[in-house]
Amino acid sequence: MSPRAQNTRRFLLLAVVAAIVGLVIGLLIGRFGIRSDNDDYRITGISETFVQDADPTISEEIMDNINSDNIRQYLSAVPATSLAYTAKISTLSYQIPIAKLKPPFPSFLSKSHAAKDLQEFWRSVGLDETFITPYDVLLSYPETKDESKMNRIFVYDSAGQVVWKSALYEPILDPSENKSNVVPPFNAYSAPGDVNSTDLVYVNYGRVEDYRWLAQNTDINITGKIVLARYGKIFRGDKARQAEIRGAKGIILYSDPEEYADNSENTDVYPHDWFLPESGTQRGSIYLGIGDPLTPGYPATETAYRLNESDPNTMLPKIPCHPIGYGVAKTLMSYMSGDQVPASWRGGLNITYRFGGPLKQSGWKIRIRISTANTRRKTYNVFGVIRGSVEPDRYVLLGNHLDAWVFGAIDPSSGTAVMKEVSRVMGNLVRSSK
């Protein structure tokens, strides 16, 4: 090896050793030179101070100052004077289209009565900063004006005459429900369509294992047929997706009383108890993605790049889907033929559960008419900020959605009311510099 090569090697070795020594010295200084014996952290800046570990009495003070009467008021007060969510609310989708609403959507869900009202509340209770951020998202809406187009299920006889059709709305079970603008049952992002079949097949929960069991133990093929599945076990969107993968024309989802009601003696259902009545219908999205379907993985700002709705990356459903209550499900089951299902497939209805196939009466058909359509709308997120004195670039998030599918007493309004009260108490702590 030449003297020059030896010198180069010696220099590199010394540089590595110096780097290691410097790193060790830096770690020792960081461990013992900055930290004190009681593990406080010294922060130097405009003034020198010590930041203690979190004060547990703050949590106790927050809990002690929560006022349940305030939460009750937030839930039930008139929207014109307070941010109330249950007295008159019946919204249309899983996000609030705060601007540019058209009838029959609730007029009070405007910027001044929802997002703006919450922003003003947070300002009034002492939060450091509040702001509203707009988004341009793809939402889903059912037809609500033209009854000849509204979402519905039909049964026809061999002559093509309507034997039975589902109701457009749930019956009013309590006078408090007699409100205008209540949204009819629908599954958001269902593909629109008008499909019919001579076959209706029961697929239990509509899971992969349910279809596998059908394939292994029966000769039923659901391709080109309409399927009936009960809610539960998996997300409703996965039920629609599994039916779509297997070639079903459409899917009907219902809430079985085994999961959603109490069949024991001396119990009742809403409005006399809290259990689901036979007409109660679970609305909900069947979109499998997260966020805006047209901007997956990115915020749906006005200038964002958007996919076409037909792009498979949107993960939007491709077949019609419609929710019903278990009273309607029992009626549909009465038209079904086929062998009895195993015990694990039976629910809580007082009827024989059958696999189905061709309807009992020769030539009879079942039809699903879905007019639900997707449209882009402005929505708004409301933010309130309390700035921390240490590591202000890190965040602790507390939030809730503002909208409801119908009245929203449980979801989301109870959460929003609690969030308001917590923010009131924390805002007071900010004012008192705690």
Side-chain angles (χ1 to χ4, degrees):
M1 182 180 294
S2 67
R4 183 175 181 180
Q6 290 179 346
N7 290 335
T8 301
R9 184 176 180 181
R10 188 178 297 110
F11 174 79
L12 292 174
L13 181 61
L14 290 173
V16 170
V17 172
I20 294 174
V21 171
L23 177 62
V24 171
I25 292 174
L27 291 174
L28 292 174
I29 292 174
R31 176 64 179 85
F32 298 104
I34 295 179
R35 293 189 63 182
S36 64
D37 292 338
N38 62 359
D39 286 335
D40 293 338
Y41 291 88
R42 184 184 303 273
I43 297 177
T44 58
I46 297 176
S47 61
E48 188 172 353
T49 184
F50 288 89
V51 180
Q52 304 290 333
D53 288 339
D55 184 353
T57 64
I58 296 298
S59 296
E60 296 175 5
E61 187 167 351
I62 291 175
M63 295 298 297
D64 290 343
N65 283 280
I66 296 293
N67 188 328
S68 61
D69 289 335
N70 289 343
I71 298 174
R72 186 176 294 107
Q73 180 183 359
Y74 301 149
L75 275 170
S76 60
V78 179
T81 58
S82 179
L83 187 62
Y85 299 100
T86 58
K88 296 183 179 179
I89 278 186
S90 55
T91 71
L92 193 55
S93 189
Y94 73 100
Q95 296 194 48
I96 298 181
I98 295 176
K100 300 181 181 178
L101 291 173
K102 299 179 181 178
F105 314 138
S107 60
F108 55 84
L109 276 180
S110 62
K111 186 173 181 179
S112 61
H113 286 95
K116 189 66 175 178
D117 194 28
L118 183 54
Q119 182 187 36
E120 291 300 325
F121 177 83
W122 279 338
R123 284 176 177 169
S124 70
V125 298
L127 270 61
D128 293 326
E129 181 184 1
T130 65
F131 56 92
I132 298 175
T133 303
Y135 296 93
D136 190 2
V137 300
L138 187 74
L139 297 181
S140 181
Y141 299 90
E143 172 64 45
T144 57
K145 293 181 180 179
D146 187 346
E147 290 192 3
S148 67
K149 297 179 180 178
M150 291 177 67
N151 296 344
R152 205 163 205 171
I153 301 172
F154 303 84
V155 174
Y156 293 87
D157 62 19
S158 57
Q161 300 299 311
V162 176
V163 176
W164 173 88
K165 59 184 177 182
S166 61
L168 298 175
Y169 294 90
E170 299 109 317
I172 296 172
L173 303 179
D174 185 90
S176 64
E177 299 175 3
N178 192 13
K179 310 287 186 182
S180 60
N181 302 324
V182 172
V183 182
F186 79 113
N187 284 123
Y189 298 107
S190 166
D194 196 329
V195 298
N196 65 80
S197 174
T198 57
D199 292 56
L200 177 63
V201 179
Y202 175 63
V203 294
N204 197 21
Y205 293 105
R207 301 168 295 181
V208 171
E209 54 264 45
D210 294 324
Y211 288 107
R212 185 183 298 123
W213 193 95
L214 277 177
Q216 294 173 349
N217 297 276
T218 73
D219 59 358
I220 295 174
N221 183 347
I222 70 165
T223 300
K225 300 176 175 61
I226 293 173
V227 299
L228 174 68
R230 52 174 166 162
Y231 275 122
K233 304 298 183 182
I234 61 173
F235 174 54
R236 66 182 81 86
D238 290 305
K239 299 174 188 288
R241 176 60 176 161
Q242 291 303 318
E244 176 187 321
I245 290 173
R246 289 162 177 78
K249 281 186 173 180
I251 180 170
I252 301 169
L253 303 177
Y254 82 98
S255 305
D256 196 285
E258 183 172 81
E259 281 84 20
Y260 296 96
D262 188 340
N263 295 318
S264 60
E265 295 182 3
N266 302 319
T267 61
D268 212 332
V269 297
Y270 178 85
H272 307 295
D273 208 325
W274 70 286
F275 295 110
L276 186 74
E278 66 174 13
S279 60
T281 307
Q282 183 187 139
R283 298 154 175 80
S285 171
I286 57 171
Y287 169 53
L288 286 176
I290 298 174
D292 175 45
L294 302 186
T295 59
Y298 295 90
T301 56
E302 184 177 358
T303 57
Y305 172 78
R306 284 176 167 78
L307 302 175
N308 293 321
E309 285 191 44
S310 58
D311 191 313
N313 291 316
T314 63
M315 302 181 70
L316 290 169
K318 301 296 189 297
I319 62 174
C321 179
H322 190 59
I324 58 175
Y326 58 83
V328 175
K330 185 176 182 180
T331 299
L332 291 178
M333 288 180 178
S334 70
Y335 295 117
M336 294 174 66
S337 62
D339 296 333
Q340 295 186 30
V341 302
S344 61
W345 282 43
R346 298 169 195 162
L349 289 171
N350 184 23
I351 194 172
T352 301
Y353 284 69
R354 301 183 181 277
F355 289 117
L359 298 184
K360 278 183 179 180
Q361 302 296 324
S362 178
W364 283 33
K365 292 183 178 181
I366 181 169
R367 172 191 175 198
I368 304 177
R369 182 184 70 199
I370 301 297
S371 58
T372 300
N374 301 330
T375 183
R376 280 172 57 180
R377 291 286 175 88
K378 282 285 187 184
T379 67
Y380 295 83
N381 278 347
V382 194
F383 295 90
V385 179
I386 297 176
R387 294 190 184 90
S389 57
V390 179
E391 297 185 300
D393 56 334
R394 302 183 71 181
Y395 296 85
V396 175
L397 299 178
L398 172 65
N400 193 62
H401 59 114
L402 292 174
D403 63 307
W405 284 85
V406 189
F407 295 103
I410 294 177
D411 177 24
S413 304
S414 57
T416 302
V418 171
M419 181 183 68
K420 284 188 66 178
E421 180 61 7
V422 171
S423 63
R424 181 192 68 83
V425 174
M426 294 182 72
N428 287 337
L429 290 176
V430 172
R431 285 173 168 170
S432 62
S433 300
K434 290 191 176 181

